Amino acid sequence: DYLRETRDEVNEVAAILGAHKVDTLIFEWNNGTEFSFKALSGKDFDVLHMATHGFWWGSDTDADGRYIPPMKRSGLVLSGSDQEPISSDKAGVLFAQEISEMDLSSVDLLVLSACQTAGGELQEDGVFGLQRGFKQAGVGTIVMTLWPVKSAMTQSLMTLMYENLSEGCDAREAFYKARAEIRKDYKKASDWGAFIILD
Protein backbone atom coordinates (compact mmCIF):
# COMPACT_ATOMS: atom_id res chain seq x y z
CA ASP A 1 0.00 0.00 0.00
CA TYR A 2 1.01 3.60 -0.61
CA LEU A 3 2.58 5.23 2.47
CA ARG A 4 1.20 8.78 2.48
CA GLU A 5 3.87 10.43 4.60
CA THR A 6 6.84 8.63 3.10
CA ARG A 7 7.36 10.98 0.16
CA ASP A 8 7.22 13.99 2.50
CA GLU A 9 9.72 12.28 4.79
CA VAL A 10 12.18 11.64 1.97
CA ASN A 11 11.86 15.20 0.64
CA GLU A 12 12.33 16.70 4.12
CA VAL A 13 15.42 14.59 4.80
CA ALA A 14 16.88 15.53 1.40
CA ALA A 15 16.17 19.22 2.06
CA ILE A 16 17.93 19.09 5.45
CA LEU A 17 20.96 17.38 3.95
CA GLY A 18 21.00 19.66 0.92
CA ALA A 19 20.95 22.76 3.13
CA HIS A 20 24.20 21.48 4.64
CA LYS A 21 25.79 20.80 1.24
CA VAL A 22 25.38 17.03 1.47
CA ASP A 23 24.85 15.44 -1.95
CA THR A 24 21.81 13.18 -2.10
CA LEU A 25 20.28 10.76 -4.58
CA ILE A 26 16.58 9.87 -4.33
CA PHE A 27 15.21 6.64 -5.77
CA GLU A 28 11.41 6.63 -5.78
CA TRP A 29 8.50 5.23 -7.74
CA ASN A 30 9.80 3.33 -10.77
CA ASN A 31 13.41 4.14 -9.82
CA GLY A 32 13.09 2.61 -6.34
CA THR A 33 13.43 -0.97 -7.52
CA GLU A 34 15.25 -4.07 -6.37
CA PHE A 35 17.55 -3.70 -9.38
CA SER A 36 18.50 -0.09 -8.54
CA PHE A 37 19.15 -1.03 -4.92
CA LYS A 38 21.44 -3.91 -5.84
CA ALA A 39 23.33 -1.55 -8.17
CA LEU A 40 24.46 0.35 -5.04
CA SER A 41 26.71 -2.57 -4.07
CA GLY A 42 30.32 -1.45 -3.92
CA LYS A 43 29.47 2.25 -4.33
CA ASP A 44 30.85 4.93 -1.98
CA PHE A 45 28.22 6.69 0.16
CA ASP A 46 27.91 7.36 3.90
CA VAL A 47 24.18 7.29 4.68
CA LEU A 48 21.44 5.05 3.33
CA HIS A 49 17.85 5.96 4.22
CA MET A 50 15.15 3.47 3.20
CA ALA A 51 11.53 4.56 3.63
CA THR A 52 9.28 1.70 2.55
CA HIS A 53 7.48 -1.42 3.83
CA GLY A 54 9.42 -3.98 5.88
CA PHE A 55 8.35 -7.45 6.93
CA TRP A 56 9.25 -10.47 9.05
CA TRP A 57 7.41 -13.78 8.55
CA GLY A 58 7.34 -15.74 11.79
CA SER A 59 6.28 -19.02 10.20
CA ASP A 60 9.23 -21.10 8.96
CA THR A 61 7.28 -23.11 6.37
CA ASP A 62 5.45 -22.21 3.18
CA ALA A 63 1.92 -23.30 2.24
CA ASP A 64 3.27 -26.72 1.16
CA GLY A 65 5.15 -27.28 4.41
CA ARG A 66 8.62 -26.61 2.97
CA TYR A 67 11.17 -24.97 5.28
CA ILE A 68 12.04 -21.31 4.62
CA PRO A 69 15.36 -20.08 6.12
CA PRO A 70 15.01 -16.96 8.31
CA MET A 71 17.11 -14.80 5.95
CA LYS A 72 14.45 -15.44 3.29
CA ARG A 73 11.60 -14.49 5.63
CA SER A 74 12.74 -10.94 6.36
CA GLY A 75 12.94 -8.12 3.86
CA LEU A 76 11.88 -4.84 2.32
CA VAL A 77 9.23 -4.15 -0.31
CA LEU A 78 10.32 -1.93 -3.20
CA SER A 79 8.72 -0.69 -6.44
CA GLY A 80 7.49 -3.39 -8.78
CA SER A 81 6.53 -5.80 -5.99
CA ASP A 82 3.01 -6.18 -7.35
CA GLN A 83 4.11 -6.94 -10.91
CA GLU A 84 6.30 -10.03 -10.72
CA PRO A 85 6.24 -13.41 -8.93
CA ILE A 86 8.04 -13.15 -5.58
CA SER A 87 10.71 -15.60 -6.79
CA SER A 88 11.74 -13.26 -9.64
CA ASP A 89 14.90 -11.13 -9.41
CA LYS A 90 12.69 -8.23 -10.52
CA ALA A 91 10.00 -8.85 -7.91
CA GLY A 92 10.74 -5.75 -5.86
CA VAL A 93 10.99 -7.83 -2.69
CA LEU A 94 14.47 -7.55 -1.24
CA PHE A 95 15.27 -10.35 1.21
CA ALA A 96 17.88 -10.24 3.98
CA GLN A 97 19.77 -13.04 2.24
CA GLU A 98 20.19 -10.94 -0.92
CA ILE A 99 21.35 -7.92 1.10
CA SER A 100 23.96 -10.05 2.90
CA GLU A 101 25.63 -10.78 -0.46
CA MET A 102 26.12 -7.07 -1.28
CA ASP A 103 29.00 -4.71 -0.46
CA LEU A 104 27.63 -1.79 1.58
CA SER A 105 30.82 -1.31 3.59
CA SER A 106 30.97 2.45 2.95
CA VAL A 107 27.64 3.00 4.75
CA ASP A 108 28.21 4.48 8.21
CA LEU A 109 24.51 4.98 8.96
CA LEU A 110 21.56 2.96 7.67
CA VAL A 111 18.06 4.16 8.53
CA LEU A 112 15.30 1.61 7.95
CA SER A 113 12.18 3.74 8.09
CA ALA A 114 9.78 0.82 7.81
CA CYS A 115 7.86 -1.64 9.96
CA GLN A 116 9.41 -4.71 11.64
CA THR A 117 12.93 -4.23 10.29
CA ALA A 118 14.55 -5.56 13.49
CA GLY A 119 12.52 -8.78 13.35
CA GLY A 120 14.19 -12.11 12.85
CA GLU A 121 14.81 -15.56 14.23
CA LEU A 122 16.91 -15.74 17.38
CA GLN A 123 19.56 -18.44 17.11
CA GLU A 124 22.69 -19.28 19.11
CA ASP A 125 24.82 -16.75 17.25
CA GLY A 126 22.30 -13.89 17.07
CA VAL A 127 19.23 -12.68 15.22
CA PHE A 128 18.78 -13.80 11.61
CA GLY A 129 16.91 -11.15 9.66
CA LEU A 130 17.44 -7.77 8.02
CA GLN A 131 19.90 -6.54 10.63
CA ARG A 132 22.17 -9.54 10.01
CA GLY A 133 21.85 -9.10 6.25
CA PHE A 134 22.94 -5.48 6.43
CA LYS A 135 25.70 -6.18 8.95
CA GLN A 136 27.10 -8.94 6.72
CA ALA A 137 27.03 -6.41 3.86
CA GLY A 138 29.29 -4.17 5.99
CA VAL A 139 26.89 -1.48 7.25
CA GLY A 140 27.84 0.42 10.43
CA THR A 141 25.04 1.83 12.64
CA ILE A 142 21.42 0.83 11.94
CA VAL A 143 18.18 2.56 12.99
CA MET A 144 15.33 0.04 12.77
CA THR A 145 11.96 -0.99 14.18
CA LEU A 146 10.76 -3.83 16.38
CA TRP A 147 7.10 -3.74 15.29
CA PRO A 148 4.70 -1.84 12.95
CA VAL A 149 4.93 1.95 13.23
CA LYS A 150 2.73 4.94 12.38
CA SER A 151 3.92 6.68 9.22
CA ALA A 152 3.13 10.22 10.47
CA MET A 153 5.13 9.68 13.66
CA THR A 154 7.94 8.11 11.66
CA GLN A 155 8.10 11.14 9.36
CA SER A 156 8.41 13.48 12.37
CA LEU A 157 11.04 11.31 14.06
CA MET A 158 13.16 11.09 10.93
CA THR A 159 13.01 14.84 10.32
CA LEU A 160 14.11 15.54 13.89
CA MET A 161 16.91 12.99 13.73
CA TYR A 162 18.39 14.44 10.54
CA GLU A 163 18.11 17.97 11.94
CA ASN A 164 20.13 16.76 14.94
CA LEU A 165 22.69 15.14 12.65
CA SER A 166 23.02 18.35 10.64
CA GLU A 167 23.72 20.23 13.87
CA GLY A 168 26.74 18.05 14.62
CA CYS A 169 25.29 15.24 16.74
CA ASP A 170 26.62 11.75 16.15
CA ALA A 171 24.09 9.15 15.00
CA ARG A 172 23.31 7.77 18.46
CA GLU A 173 22.84 11.21 20.04
CA ALA A 174 20.76 12.43 17.09
CA PHE A 175 18.52 9.38 17.36
CA TYR A 176 17.94 9.56 21.12
CA LYS A 177 17.31 13.31 21.09
CA ALA A 178 14.74 12.88 18.31
CA ARG A 179 13.03 10.01 20.10
CA ALA A 180 12.85 12.02 23.34
CA GLU A 181 11.24 14.91 21.44
CA ILE A 182 8.70 12.60 19.75
CA ARG A 183 7.62 11.26 23.15
CA LYS A 184 6.07 14.66 23.91
CA ASP A 185 3.47 14.13 21.17
CA TYR A 186 3.26 10.32 21.18
CA LYS A 187 2.89 9.24 24.80
CA LYS A 188 2.57 5.49 24.24
CA ALA A 189 5.77 3.47 24.27
CA SER A 190 4.11 1.24 21.68
CA ASP A 191 4.56 4.14 19.23
CA TRP A 192 8.05 5.60 19.75
CA GLY A 193 9.49 2.50 21.45
CA ALA A 194 9.52 0.53 18.20
CA PHE A 195 12.58 2.45 17.02
CA ILE A 196 15.98 1.22 18.16
CA ILE A 197 19.59 1.85 17.13
CA LEU A 198 22.27 -0.80 16.73
CA ASP A 199 26.03 -0.27 16.27
Side-chain angles (χ1 to χ4, degrees):
D1 292 336
Y2 179 68
L3 297 168
R4 288 179 299 169
E5 290 82 8
T6 299
R7 191 172 198 185
D8 291 338
E9 174 188 324
V10 169
N11 289 335
E12 286 173 8
V13 167
I16 292 166
L17 295 173
H20 290 82
K21 310 294 187 225
V22 177
D23 293 331
T24 60
L25 283 173
I26 297 176
F27 296 88
E28 60 182 351
W29 299 109
N30 291 334
N31 293 320
T33 62
E34 182 178 358
F35 179 80
S36 63
F37 180 80
K38 288 180 177 178
L40 296 175
S41 185
K43 299 291 194 305
D44 186 18
F45 54 101
D46 301 325
V47 177
L48 176 58
H49 183 99
M50 301 190 73
T52 187
H53 288 289
F55 64 88
W56 160 247
W57 296 328
S59 175
D60 63 359
T61 56
D62 65 14
D64 297 320
R66 292 179 296 234
Y67 174 71
I68 308 170
M71 297 290 279
K72 292 187 177 180
R73 288 186 271 134
S74 180
L76 298 166
V77 180
L78 306 177
S79 293
S81 59
D82 59 344
Q83 298 163 8
E84 297 276 346
I86 199 167
S87 58
S88 167
D89 287 340
K90 300 176 184 175
V93 178
L94 187 65
F95 289 100
Q97 181 63 48
E98 297 172 284
I99 295 165
S100 73
E101 297 163 2
M102 295 177 63
D103 174 9
L104 299 173
S105 56
S106 70
V107 179
D108 295 323
L109 174 63
L110 166 68
V111 180
L112 295 176
S113 180
C115 296
Q116 296 180 297
T117 50
E121 184 174 297
L122 182 59
Q123 297 184 0
E124 286 182 9
D125 52 346
V127 177
F128 283 71
L130 275 173
Q131 60 177 283
R132 179 170 291 264
F134 278 109
K135 282 295 183 182
Q136 288 180 336
V139 166
T141 300
I142 307 175
V143 174
M144 56 193 164
T145 56
L146 294 165
W147 52 77
V149 290
K150 295 177 180 176
S151 58
M153 183 212 64
T154 300
Q155 176 191 349
S156 298
L157 176 69
M158 294 301 150
T159 301
L160 288 167
M161 187 181 79
Y162 280 92
E163 286 173 350
N164 294 337
L165 282 168
S166 70
E167 291 168 4
C169 294
D170 64 27
R172 189 166 279 277
E173 182 184 8
F175 170 77
Y176 283 119
K177 281 179 71 173
R179 204 172 71 165
E181 189 66 25
I182 280 295
R183 290 176 67 174
K184 296 175 183 175
D185 295 322
Y186 294 87
K187 308 293 186 187
K188 296 181 190 173
S190 58
D191 290 330
W192 56 263
F195 284 91
I196 61 171
I197 188 165
L198 173 73
D199 290 322

